[in-house]
Amino acid sequence: MTVADGRSLAIGIRERYRDIVSDRWPVIVDPQHDELLSSWVHRLAYANGIAPRQFAGVLGLNAGMWSASLDLRLPSDVAHLLHTHTGLSLRKLSAMSLASSPPRSLLLPLRSNGRRDSSTWLQFCSKCLAEDAQPYFRRRWRLATRVSCAKHGCRLRDRCPSCRSRIAAFDQTELIPQHHCVRCGYDLRRASTLVVSPAAGRLDRCIDDICRLEARTGSLSSSTLARRLLSLPSIAGVYPTTILTSLSTSARIRCFERLTDRPNGWLTVDDDIVAAHWRRSILLAGGHGPLIAQLADALEQKRQRPTTTIRRTPTAELSALLGAYVRMMEGPRRRSSRNRDLTRG
Ligand SMILES: [Zn+2]
Ligand SMILES: [Zn+2]
C-alpha cells in the first residue's frame, strides 16, 4: 500500500484477526465415552445453532438417514471437513464410527418395514440419557445382540413411548436436542424403565463380553458365532424364520428370556476349543465385563501400535489368563458350584 508521500506501508494480518477468520466452528463438543459418530455430529450441529437436517447440507450430504450412514462409512472428504472445523483427529472421528467393529452383520439395519415387531436402527436407555450432562447415544445401542442396560438393569427401548416412532434425530429441522422425539417432541429421558429378568440380563452381558473379545481377536467375523447369534430367534423357537437383526427390542428380549432356561451349548460349542473355553468361562462367571474391556483394549492398542514385525498374540495365552481370572474370582466355594453346573450343562 502506498501513502500520499510515496512511502510504502507493510500490511500484515494480526493474530487476533486470524483467530476471527479461523476455519474452526464457534463451538466444539467433545466426544463422550462410547459415543456414536451420528450422536456427536447432532450435538455439534445443535451447539453451533444449526438443526441436524440443515447440517447435512453443511457436510455436503443429502437428507435421509445421512448421519446414521456416516456411522457405517465415514467418507474421507467428510472426515477431513469435520477435522478441519473441529480439530478432532481423524483417528478419534473414525473410532466413533462403526467401520472397524463390531461385525456389520450384527448391527441393527437402517431400513425398517414399519411393523410393530420389526427392528429400528437405534436403541436407548432413558436412565442413561437422564444421567448424561449432555445426552448422547452409545455405539453399543446399535447392536442387535444388546437388549438391556447393564448399568441400570433395565430393557433398552427402540421407539418413542409416546408416538411409537423410531429415533430420527437426523431428520430434525428445529433447534431441539437429539433426546427429544422428532415426531412428537417427547423427552426420551422421561420414558419409564422396564425391568429385564436377571437371567436375561446376564445372558445379554455374557454375549456382549464374548462378542467384544472375539471381535478384537479378529475371530468373530470368521467364526460361526455371528451366524448363530443371527439365528437366535429360531434357536429360541420364538420366531423360527426371522433373523435377530430384523426384530424389535421387545421381540429380541422375548428370545433371550426363552433361552435362559435352556442349555447354552448353542453358544459355547465351537470347532475352536480355545474359543469354546472362553465362552464357557464367561458364561459360568455371568460375564467378565471389566476384564474383557481390559483385554480388548490391550489387544486394540497392540493392533494399532506400529511394529516392524507382526506377531499375533497366541490365543492360548488369553485363554489361560481368562481361566485364571475365573478361578480367582470364583474362589473355592463358587468353584464347587461351578463344577456342579459343568456336570449339568
Ligand atoms: Zn442405562
Ligand atoms: Zn414421539
Side-chain angles (χ1 to χ4, degrees):
M1 182 177 177
T2 307
V3 290
D5 63 1
R7 286 178 299 131
S8 291
L9 289 179
I11 296 179
I13 296 175
R14 302 206 35 185
E15 198 174 338
R16 183 171 295 177
Y17 185 70
R18 273 208 302 272
D19 286 346
I20 294 168
V21 296
S22 159
D23 284 337
R24 295 285 170 87
W25 285 328
V27 185
I28 310 300
V29 298
D30 290 327
Q32 303 187 66
H33 177 66
D34 194 40
E35 182 162 20
L36 196 56
L37 178 63
S38 53
S39 167
W40 174 77
V41 171
H42 299 151
R43 289 196 304 116
L44 179 69
Y46 177 77
N48 284 281
I50 307 170
R53 181 84 166 269
Q54 284 76 45
F55 198 70
V58 173
L59 298 180
L61 302 169
N62 296 321
M65 299 183 78
W66 62 273
S67 54
S69 302
L70 287 184
D71 292 333
L72 299 178
R73 194 182 76 83
L74 178 60
S76 63
D77 58 332
V78 177
H80 279 96
L81 194 146
L82 287 169
H83 166 65
T84 303
H85 293 298
T86 65
L88 209 66
S89 72
L90 295 174
R91 189 184 59 77
K92 282 189 177 170
L93 287 166
S94 171
M96 282 190 283
S97 80
L98 299 164
S100 51
S101 62
R104 180 80 57 104
S105 63
L106 295 178
L107 294 175
L108 293 161
L110 301 193
R111 65 181 181 282
S112 168
N113 63 15
R115 281 178 41 181
R116 199 182 173 85
D117 63 353
S118 72
S119 57
T120 66
W121 75 286
L122 182 60
Q123 309 173 98
F124 65 95
C125 165
S126 56
K127 279 196 166 178
C128 281
L129 292 179
E131 287 177 5
D132 290 340
Q134 297 173 43
Y136 70 99
F137 293 94
R138 278 71 166 163
R139 293 168 80 247
R140 59 181 176 274
W141 292 346
R142 285 282 285 108
L143 276 166
T145 46
R146 295 312 319 252
V147 293
S148 66
C149 171
K151 184 178 179 190
H152 296 109
C154 60
R155 299 176 175 205
L156 295 179
R157 288 180 176 272
D158 60 357
R159 286 163 166 80
C160 164
S162 174
C163 71
R164 310 299 303 162
S165 296
R166 63 179 179 168
I167 308 291
F170 45 78
D171 240 358
Q172 180 62 267
T173 54
E174 309 287 332
L175 204 56
I176 293 173
Q178 60 178 344
H179 57 274
H180 288 264
C181 172
V182 172
R183 303 285 171 247
C184 74
Y186 184 87
D187 184 342
L188 300 174
R189 296 175 300 180
R190 290 176 48 219
S192 61
T193 49
L194 304 167
V195 178
V196 66
S197 77
R202 197 160 47 244
L203 179 63
D204 181 8
R205 238 178 6 254
C206 289
I207 290 176
D208 185 53
D209 283 346
I210 291 169
C211 287
R212 271 196 294 162
L213 187 61
E214 297 195 20
R216 294 296 174 91
T217 56
S219 60
L220 183 55
S221 47
S222 59
S223 76
T224 54
L225 179 63
R227 283 199 298 280
R228 265 188 234 163
L229 289 170
L230 286 174
S231 58
L232 193 147
S234 141
I235 294 168
V238 185
Y239 299 91
T241 58
T242 313
I243 62 168
L244 189 69
T245 49
S246 301
L247 291 173
S248 67
T249 307
S250 56
R252 280 181 282 119
I253 288 171
R254 219 168 298 143
C255 298
F256 274 61
E257 303 273 11
R258 184 70 68 87
L259 281 170
T260 54
D261 52 12
R262 303 219 176 147
N264 50 35
W266 68 274
L267 182 57
T268 55
V269 173
D270 199 282
D271 291 340
D272 182 340
I273 55 167
V274 177
H277 173 74
W278 293 347
R279 294 177 200 166
R280 276 197 302 273
S281 301
I282 290 170
L283 278 166
L284 283 167
H288 272 311
L291 173 72
I292 300 299
Q294 271 180 26
L295 280 171
D297 287 348
L299 286 168
E300 184 67 9
Q301 280 169 14
K302 199 177 180 69
R303 199 167 60 84
Q304 287 180 354
R305 203 180 301 142
T307 51
T308 47
T309 52
I310 298 169
R311 187 178 73 85
R312 287 183 67 84
T313 305
T315 50
E317 284 178 20
L318 281 172
S319 175
L321 182 55
L322 262 178
Y325 183 83
V326 172
R327 286 191 292 280
M328 185 184 77
M329 293 303 288
E330 285 182 336
R333 191 179 58 78
R334 291 192 58 193
R335 262 207 302 278
S336 56
S337 66
R338 170 190 159 205
N339 290 337
R340 280 200 303 278
D341 289 345
L342 268 176
T343 53
R344 275 208 301 261

